[in-house]
Amino acid sequence: AQRVTQPEKLLSVFKGAPVELKCNYSYSGSPELFWYVQYSRQRLQLLLRHISRESIKGFTADLNKGETSFHLKKPFAQEEDSAMYYCALGVCRGANSKLTFGKGITLSVRP
Amino acid sequence: NAGVTQTPKFRVLKTGQSMTLLCAQDMNHEYMYWYRQDPGMGLRLIHYSVGEGTTAKGEVPDGYNVSRLKKQNFLLGLESAAPSQTSVYFCASSYSTDTGELFFGEGSRLTVL
C-alpha cells in the first residue's frame, strides 16, 4: 500500500531563513509526487509536481528514489509562505487513479 | 469560471440526522473526489469517482455514501450523522486519466452535535 509521511507538524522560521519541508513515501511502483499548499482562507492548490522540475514561488523539490523522499526547499523564506503544506503521492492510473496525502505541515514564517 | 463549488459551506447537525453535500464542477472533469480534513490527520479520501455513474471507496468510506448521476456533480451523503464526522470536507476534480492536478473546492465545515 502507498503511504506518505510528513514527520513534522510545524516548522517555524524567521524571514530570510532556509526552509526544508520533509516528505517520505512508500510505494512499490513508479511514483508521481506533488506538493500542495493551503494559504489561510484559500483553497488547497497545487504548488509543484516532480515531473515538471519547476521552481514555483522559489520552492523546489527533487525526487530521490533511493531515499524515497521528495523534500520541499526554499533558500530564503518569506512571510507570505506561511501556510499548510501537503505532500501527495499519485498512484495507479485509469480506474484506480487517486492521490494519497500526507498529514501536512504548517509553515510559519516570522518577520 | 466557477471551478469547483461546494454547498453548503457550513452546517450544524444533530447526531442521527442526515444530510447531503453537493459538489459541482464546470471544467468537464472525469474524476471527482471527496476528502475530509482533520487536525493532525491531514486529508483522507472518503470516496471517489472516475466517471459518470461510477463510484469507489477511498480510505475512510464508512458512514458515507456517494452518487455521480451527472458528470458535473458528485454528492456526498451522511445517512445518520455521528460526532466523529465533524470535519471539513473538500471536494476535488481532475481531468486527466492519470492523477494529474486536483482542483479543490473551498470546503464545507460540518459540525455534528
Side-chain angles (χ1 to χ4, degrees):
Chain A
Q2 62 277 3
R3 187 169 64 245
V4 177
T5 303
Q6 294 181 252
E8 299 157 330
K9 292 184 178 179
L10 171 68
L11 179 63
S12 183
V13 301
F14 285 107
K15 176 182 175 181
V19 167
E20 182 178 63
L21 306 181
K22 291 182 167 45
C23 173
N24 289 91
Y25 67 91
S26 173
Y27 181 54
S28 57
S30 182
E32 296 182 16
L33 275 300
F34 306 82
W35 277 98
Y36 279 77
V37 60
Q38 187 176 26
Y39 301 104
S40 179
R41 299 189 182 86
Q42 293 189 28
R43 302 177 187 226
L44 195 66
Q45 58 187 288
L46 178 67
L47 179 62
L48 55 79
R49 68 191 87 188
H50 88 271
I51 57 173
S52 60
R53 303 181 68 83
E54 296 173 301
S55 174
I56 305 293
K57 299 184 179 182
F59 285 99
T60 59
D62 292 320
L63 177 61
N64 186 324
K65 292 187 177 181
E67 296 182 357
T68 59
S69 68
F70 188 57
H71 303 326
L72 184 67
K73 300 177 183 179
K74 184 169 183 176
F76 307 104
Q78 303 299 315
E79 289 180 68
E80 54 265 30
D81 295 328
S82 295
M84 187 81 170
Y85 291 80
Y86 290 95
C87 182
L89 169 66
V91 300
C92 302
R93 296 175 183 270
N96 202 27
S97 178
K98 57 185 181 289
L99 284 181
T100 297
F101 286 84
K103 293 186 177 181
I105 179 170
T106 299
L107 174 63
S108 174
V109 182
R110 293 168 286 171
Chain B
N1 190 344
V4 179
T5 304
Q6 295 179 226
T7 53
K9 290 185 171 50
F10 301 94
R11 184 74 187 271
V12 178
L13 289 177
K14 294 181 180 179
T15 297
Q17 286 186 316
S18 63
M19 75 158 295
T20 300
L21 294 174
L22 170 64
C23 177
Q25 53 93 5
D26 60 3
M27 296 174 283
N28 200 35
H29 285 172
E30 289 292 337
Y31 295 78
M32 297 188 74
Y33 313 82
W34 275 107
Y35 287 89
R36 58 178 289 175
Q37 183 186 46
D38 301 292
M41 301 298 292
L43 284 165
R44 292 181 292 171
L45 182 63
I46 305 171
H47 285 280
Y48 64 103
S49 168
V50 300
E52 181 179 318
T54 70
T55 63
K57 294 181 180 180
E59 181 185 356
V60 288
D62 294 343
Y64 304 95
N65 56 75
V66 287
S67 64
R68 183 94 181 271
L69 298 180
K70 294 183 179 180
K71 185 177 183 178
Q72 63 268 35
N73 295 337
F74 194 30
L75 279 64
L76 178 70
L78 285 71
E79 290 188 348
S80 180
S84 61
Q85 295 178 304
T86 293
S87 186
V88 180
Y89 292 85
F90 286 96
C91 177
S93 68
S94 66
Y95 172 74
S96 60
T97 54
D98 56 33
T99 51
E101 178 179 359
L102 266 59
F103 293 84
F104 283 84
E106 293 181 298
S108 298
R109 183 174 295 276
L110 174 65
T111 301
V112 183
L113 302 176

